[in-house]
Structure formats: C-alpha cells, structure tokens
Amino acid sequence: MARRPLPRILTSGSAQIARSRELARTAADSATDVLHPLITVSRGLRMLAAAARQKWAGTPKERRGPALFVVAACVLVVALIPYGPLLGLITLMGVAGWKGRDTAPVPAGPDDTEVKRLQSLYEALVPYFAVPEDPNPLYAHGGAWGAAFDDHAFDTGGRLTRLQLRYPPYFPDSDPDVRARIEQLLQAKCGRGREYLFEWEEEANQLTVTVLPALSTAIAAQTFITAPGETLLGFTDDGAVRRTVPVVADGESRDEPPVLWRTGPRSTEPHLLVTGLPGSGATSLLRSLALQAAQHGEVLIVEGGGTGEFGCLAGRTGVLAVECGLAGALAGLEWAASETERRLIAANRAGQSGHPAPEDIKRPLWILLDRPSVFGHLAAAEGRPDPLELLQVPLRHGRSAHVTVVVADQLDSLDTLSEAVLTYTRARVILGAAAPAQVEAVLGAPPRTTPPADVPPGRGYARLGTGPVLRLQVPATPDPYDDGASEAHRRAVLGLLPERHPAVAAPDENRTAVERTAAQSVPDQEREPGRAP
C-alpha cells in the first residue's frame, strides 16, 4: 500500500509555528518587565491584607470595638485634611511596594576557600580525565575548573554537598573498576565520613555527586498503613520509591518513604534473607516482621542464638511457637513442611472441584528463623538432620500455599546455609558496616552509595529481586524486656504485642499442630525448661 503524504500544514508550517512561539515568549517577557512595578505593589497589598487579617483574628473580642473606632477616626482625619487622601494613597502604595519587593538573596559565587577546594579537586581529576592525544582537553594541569564543573554547593562548614561535573566522551564510564576509582577519589577530596550518591549519565557525559542525609533512627515500631500482602522492612531516601506512609517519630506525624515487601501468591520474591554483622539489627528486623505478621497471620519462630530475643512473643495470639532448642526446631519445621503440603493438596482439590480455596489455607503462615546455622552445627554433632533441609517444601511451594520464609544469619555464616535457602530467597537485606564487595555478593548488585562511617543498628541496604539497591533503616524494635533499650521504643513494642494466651495449659485438642508435634517427638529429658509438654 502506498504511503499517503502528510498534510501541507504539518510539513511546511513547522517553521512558522516556531516563529509564533518565539514571538509569544518575547511578548510575555516584555509584558512582565513593563508590569513589574504593578506586580510588586499588588504582592505588597496582598501581604498587608493578610497581615491585617491575622492581626484582627488575634485581637480579643472586647478590644475589637475600640480598635475599629481608632482606625475609623484615623481614616476620617486623613480624609478631612488638605491633600489627605492623595498623601494617604501615595503612602499606602509606597509601603506596599516596599513590602512586596523581591527579598530573595542574590546567589553569590564561591569564596576564596571554596575556589581553592574546587581547583584542588579539578587538578586531582586531571590524570583520570585527560589524555595527551586530546587537542582541546577539558581537564588539563593549570586549567579552569569552571569549564568542567557545571554546578556545586557547599554547606556552612565549607564542605561540598553537591557537585555536577562533565567528563570527556572518551572516558570509559561503562567500566565498573574505572568508575570505582573516580568515586573513591571524589569521596576522599570532598570529605570522608559522609555518604555519597553517584549518578552517572553516560549519554550526557555528566557525573553528579550528592551528599545524602542520614536516615532517621527515631522511627519506632508502630502500626504501619500498608496494603494487604505488604510488609514494611524499613525506610529509605526521599525519591527512591514512589510511595510514602504516615509515621509518628519524636511525637510528631510525618510521611516517610518505605521499603515495602510484597508476599503471597502474587509476589515475585516470596522469601527473604537477612544478613549482617553481629549487632547490626537483624534480630530487630525479624521482631518487626513478626509483629506485623501476627496481625493477619500465624508465625512460627525458630531462634538459634538461644538468647531469648523473641521471648516477648511466646504464648501470644497468632504466634504458634517460639522454638529455642534443636528438638523443637526440628519438630516445628517438620510440621511446617507437612502444613505446606496440606495447603497445596487442599488448594488443588478445591480447584479441581471448582470451589474456592478454604479459608484456613488463605491465612498467611510465616516461618522466621534467626541464626539457623547454630542448629546445623548441633545437628551434625548429634547425628541429626540439618533443620534447614526441612525448608525445601516451604521454600519451593510457599508462594502458592501462602507460606513465607524469612532466614536471618550472620554474614560469616552464609556459606553454611543450604542451597535451597540461597536459591529461593531472592529478597535480600544486609545490615551493618559491610564492605561494598560484600554488599554486592549478597544483593547481586553494588550499592549506589558509599558506605557510611558510623552505622547505627538497623542500617543497611535492601534489594527485592532484580530491583534497585536501596538504603534501609529498620524501625527500632528492641526486646521490650531489655533494660538497655530506649524506654520509648520498649513501650512502643509492648503496645504492639498481641494478647497473651491464658496461663493455664490448654487441653490437647485445643493446642496447635506445632505444639502437638513437638510434644510427641521430644523426649522428657530433652524438653526445654518451662516448655509445656
């Protein structure tokens, strides 16, 4: 089929349209210059009216009558004296013009100290961005930094907070090692001890360096507003995600950008792996997840550390069990595997018969394991199977059965985790002062920011599947029975704990499947102290 020609107005009128736009823009600029005094006076009158309205609203009712009488008397006096109205109008216009003037400070250029810093940084970049074959080099010894630096900003202490520079087109900006050398140099010259964000624009040959503010550590555990199937891992930078959630921090409400993890049948990353250095806050993250999961599902907690970090959740509504021993862990995970199989069979039968899935299999089941590598060593010493081997079925088929697995272990124990755990936990979190190479090894991608010098608990990086690497700050969720934690944070966690079960032991038919399985499989001499038989 022959291609029809475009209409004449589209092929020959583009130049005329461009000229018309230029004329309209010029006319608008001219009108703005001519009407600038009128705009200034109008802005001043509006500000004076707002000030008078605010003053009138703040005046007590018993004083409004005398004030109104004084104003009316002044207006009458001005109207009766010769040339009074004219002088009053001139005075009003003068005051309005002075009030509505543009008071924005004129940006000044860098001072001598800042110029020396920029020139020093420019000279340091010359060996990396200059080649002898370039006839017109952008970077040269003794050159001017203004030609290479498009934008810059300093803080009150004279340190760079933002820098936008241009580099030659022949610079190999696609090489990660070359990029790393430039980023290391800029971090050293701009000042260590801060966290920097490097944004490379390969198409425009530009690099923007920004100093990131520290993530807030004042946000404690609370009821977060999320959609069904979403769990909040922590908070990140403004603009890194598309959503915000309202939170309460330091007694005031504000909106913060969250890192939300979606679980369930519609999730592409149904299981989570948390790792980090000792004391980095991995247990606090698991405690935060347990408090959120217990509101709409059931939680099984397996603690390998044996420190009682999850003792506050024992016997609570929605918490099936808190296992701290090897025998209990094996029994609990064995029940979780059989429960996953039961849910799959029930869902399959319901689908074949054309009925909706039963409600008992739609209730989310969370399996939280804290330091399971400890159980691996104990099981090997006693000749028992590794508890992580029992996670094969929940990890493989948990998404369809509404089963979510979260594994948290220390960074130096990742090589002891099973292959199934490392394969199916595509949502990753790393906490603590980890090196960039360690972050890349865990998350599968390097972080876009430099690691901070001082890392508070719960600070790290998160990556959900193939998404971007995000900075993360976990909400403060300490053990409420820990006297060393903040009193406000402890009270916040206590307020979120579900109701406790009655202290009287329930009959066997009313106990959970986990408790029945553990009671049948654990001999009397191996029961933990205080555990109900």
Side-chain angles (χ1 to χ4, degrees):
M1 180 181 295
R3 181 177 299 176
R4 297 181 59 184
L6 294 175
R8 181 178 179 83
I9 188 174
L10 296 179
T11 57
S12 61
S14 58
Q16 184 177 0
I17 293 175
R19 286 195 298 270
S20 300
R21 291 178 178 176
E22 186 65 27
L23 290 176
R25 190 179 298 108
T26 304
D29 295 339
S30 300
T32 302
D33 295 338
V34 173
L35 299 177
H36 181 70
L38 181 60
I39 295 174
T40 302
V41 172
S42 301
R43 187 189 304 117
L45 290 174
R46 185 169 62 252
M47 296 174 66
L48 290 176
R53 191 183 303 109
Q54 184 178 4
K55 184 68 175 177
W56 177 261
T59 303
K61 292 184 178 181
E62 62 273 9
R63 298 180 57 185
R64 290 184 177 180
L68 187 61
F69 176 77
V70 172
V71 172
C74 293
V75 172
L76 181 62
V77 170
V78 171
L80 294 179
I81 63 176
Y83 303 104
L86 180 59
L87 294 176
L89 181 61
I90 294 174
T91 303
L92 179 62
M93 293 298 102
V95 174
W98 177 262
K99 189 71 174 179
R101 74 190 188 281
D102 189 6
T103 58
V106 179
D111 55 20
D112 295 339
T113 304
E114 296 172 350
V115 169
K116 291 180 180 179
R117 284 181 176 268
L118 293 173
Q119 186 64 32
S120 174
L121 181 58
Y122 174 84
E123 294 289 344
L125 292 172
V126 170
Y128 299 91
F129 287 151
V131 295
E133 296 81 7
D134 192 350
N136 188 18
L138 182 62
Y139 289 82
H141 291 290
W145 58 266
F149 298 163
D150 294 336
D151 189 18
H152 55 82
F154 291 86
D155 58 9
T156 55
R159 305 177 71 186
L160 273 169
T161 58
R162 187 176 185 275
L163 177 65
Q164 183 177 2
L165 58 89
R166 291 184 294 115
Y167 54 86
Y170 50 78
F171 177 75
D173 51 8
S174 60
D175 189 348
D177 296 334
V178 178
R179 280 190 177 191
R181 287 196 295 268
I182 298 297
E183 294 174 0
Q184 184 179 6
L185 173 65
L186 291 174
Q187 181 184 2
K189 290 298 182 180
C190 294
R192 299 186 183 274
R194 299 184 295 177
E195 201 164 357
Y196 294 90
L197 172 65
F198 298 95
E199 297 177 297
W200 293 83
E201 298 182 18
E202 292 87 350
E203 296 181 356
N205 297 324
Q206 287 185 348
L207 170 60
T208 303
V209 185
T210 308
V211 177
L212 296 176
L215 296 177
S216 176
T217 58
I219 304 176
Q222 53 194 280
T223 302
F224 301 109
I225 301 177
T226 57
E230 290 182 343
T231 304
L232 187 139
L233 299 179
F235 300 92
T236 185
D237 300 300
D238 294 331
V241 293
R242 299 179 180 179
R243 292 174 54 182
T244 59
V245 295
V247 298
V248 177
D250 295 332
E252 60 180 11
S253 178
R254 61 173 186 252
D255 293 337
E256 292 289 338
V259 179
L260 297 176
W261 172 41
R262 187 171 184 83
T263 58
R266 299 182 181 274
S267 173
T268 57
E269 303 86 19
H271 308 298
L272 175 68
L273 175 63
V274 182
T275 185
L277 301 175
S280 59
T283 302
S284 296
L285 176 55
L286 260 66
R287 196 180 295 111
S288 174
L289 296 178
L291 292 175
Q292 298 180 61
Q295 298 177 2
H296 309 287
E298 297 176 334
V299 184
L300 169 63
I301 302 175
V302 177
E303 181 187 358
T307 56
E309 293 285 346
F310 299 92
C312 59
L313 293 168
R316 302 282 180 173
T317 303
V319 181
L320 299 178
V322 179
E323 304 291 352
C324 301
L326 176 59
L330 289 172
L333 295 180
E334 183 179 355
W335 171 86
S338 62
E339 173 67 11
T340 305
E341 294 176 350
R342 185 193 69 82
R343 292 185 175 210
L344 290 175
I345 294 174
N348 187 23
R349 290 177 177 175
Q352 290 180 358
S353 60
H355 294 89
E359 293 297 330
D360 62 331
I361 70 173
K362 290 184 179 180
R363 185 171 176 81
L365 173 61
W366 288 69
I367 306 174
L368 307 182
L369 297 94
D370 188 18
R371 296 197 63 189
S373 60
V374 177
F375 287 138
H377 295 293
L378 295 177
E382 298 181 10
R384 296 189 178 187
D386 189 351
L388 292 179
E389 298 298 333
L390 300 174
L391 291 177
Q392 289 276 352
V393 175
L395 287 171
R396 290 177 182 271
H397 308 288
R399 186 167 67 94
S400 303
H402 295 269
V403 178
T404 301
V405 179
V406 180
V407 180
D409 216 320
Q410 294 184 3
L411 194 59
D412 54 359
S413 301
L414 291 182
D415 55 349
T416 62
L417 299 180
S418 63
E419 186 66 24
V421 172
L422 298 178
T423 301
Y424 290 99
T425 53
R426 290 187 290 268
R428 303 286 182 88
V429 172
I430 181 171
L431 302 176
Q438 294 175 320
V439 176
E440 184 176 2
V442 173
L443 304 182
R448 298 178 58 195
T449 61
T450 57
D454 186 15
V455 181
R459 176 68 173 81
Y461 297 95
R463 189 187 188 202
L464 305 179
T466 58
V469 178
L470 303 174
R471 289 205 307 167
L472 178 70
Q473 179 62 51
V474 176
T477 316
D479 183 3
Y481 303 147
D482 183 10
D483 296 335
S486 172
E487 182 66 22
H489 294 169
R490 290 168 54 194
R491 291 183 178 273
V493 175
L494 285 174
L496 293 176
L497 289 176
E499 296 181 359
R500 189 179 292 277
H501 292 305
V504 181
D508 186 78
E509 60 270 17
N510 295 333
R511 292 157 69 186
T512 63
V514 175
E515 294 172 339
R516 292 198 300 268
T517 305
Q520 296 172 2
S521 60
V522 183
D524 294 339
Q525 62 271 18
E526 293 184 3
R527 299 188 191 279
E528 292 80 15
R531 179 176 175 82

